[in-house]
Amino acid sequence: MSRHDLKGRHVVVTGASSGIGAALAVELGSRGARVGLIARRVDKLDEVRAQVAATGAEVAVAAADVSVWESTQEAMAALTEALGPIYGVIANAGIGNPTRPKRIDGVRDAEVFATNVIGVVHTFAAAEPAISSAREGFLCAVSSIGGWRGLPGFASYSASKAAVTTFMESLAIGLKRSPVTVTTVHPGFVRTPLTDSNRFKMPFLVEPERAARVIVDGIARGRREVNFPWPMVFGMRLLRALPGWAWHLLAPSR
Ligand SMILES: NC(=O)c1ccc[n+]([C@@H]2O[C@H](COP(=O)([O-])OP(=O)(O)OC[C@H]3O[C@@H](n4cnc5c(N)ncnc54)[C@H](OP(=O)(O)O)[C@@H]3O)[C@@H](O)[C@H]2O)c1
């Protein structure tokens, strides 16, 4: 059963210039939503804007860096001006710099937290007042099953996604009696520019269009969590259930 009718609703997607975010924007447009797009690269945003417009949907773009509060606030204000009050927001922007255990990088590793964690906080802080005052809508964040354990070679990424998942779990409890729903997304591997550089085998790789359909279905149903694909979810759940010492022994050192 559908909890949110997205037709004519203004939904903002961050990280909409490529990958999952771009596919989400097109999926939302094809379901009749008005779509607000945020990312830093204006040329890429314009390409996605054209794809969303081709679905017949109203669409607007605002360039912003979600790790910067003023930038995020200004973008939300510009999108509200263009498309009306925000009904829902998908905090999807994220980066996945690997962490070298012997050379932790004070800039690159910190940037992962600034984008993946602080970016979600900024995005919700800028959009949530409109959603709360309308007394309906949704907050969604794209975390990762990679946050369910400390993955070798991805210390900052795993930790940032664990933070997002815990942040969302707490928000969902706080809002459980409210008409505003809270959805946390935990994808496995999705084929996007983020994963294109991975040199290891990515099992059960999902295409971004399919990921977008699954995510928007989950949001529309008001689901608390959207986890896919199921074989990866099952495998990671098993790994998560291991005691710390067993994971330490089993995980390859990278
Ligand atoms: N692909 C996967 O296998 C996978 C799996 C699990 C979770 N995820 C999560 O899914 C989300 C989307 O990733 P993706 O795979 O679609 O990667 P992607 O194609 O690289 O997209 C990342 C998006 O985030 C935007 N972005 C990055 N830093 C930003 C910033 N500071 N401010 C605003 N926008 C910013 C990028 O646009 P600009 O560069 O134009 O700003 C881009 O639109 C991420 O949160 C990622 O962690 C991905």
Side-chain angles (χ1 to χ4, degrees), residues 14-21 38-41 44 64-67 92-95 115-116 142-145 157 161 187-195:
T14 72
S17 63
S18 71
I20 298 172
I38 292 179
R40 294 164 302 177
R41 290 168 299 170
K44 294 280 174 199
D65 180 338
V66 295
S67 68
N92 162 76
I95 55 174
T115 308
N116 297 6
V142 180
S143 181
S144 169
I145 63 171
Y157 185 75
K161 292 303 185 180
F189 292 112
V190 182
R191 192 194 307 277
T192 70
L194 184 85
T195 50

Side-chain angles (χ1 to χ4, degrees), residues 137-223:
F138 67 85
L139 301 172
C140 170
V142 180
S143 181
S144 169
I145 63 171
W148 288 351
R149 282 251 72 136
L151 296 184
F154 289 91
S156 302
Y157 185 75
S158 281
S160 72
K161 292 303 185 180
V164 170
T165 294
T166 307
F167 180 73
M168 295 299 283
E169 183 175 44
S170 179
L171 277 190
I173 294 167
L175 289 171
K176 71 178 165 186
R177 299 199 203 299
S178 133
V180 176
T181 61
V182 176
T183 300
T184 313
V185 182
H186 297 104
F189 292 112
V190 182
R191 192 194 307 277
T192 70
L194 184 85
T195 50
D196 280 350
S197 57
N198 287 348
R199 281 189 206 95
F200 51 87
K201 189 169 161 15
M202 293 183 280
F204 308 106
L205 189 66
V206 174
E207 295 302 324
E209 295 74 19
R210 180 164 161 243
R213 271 198 306 279
V214 172
I215 294 169
V216 177
D217 279 347
I219 291 171
R221 290 190 185 123
R223 291 198 29 208

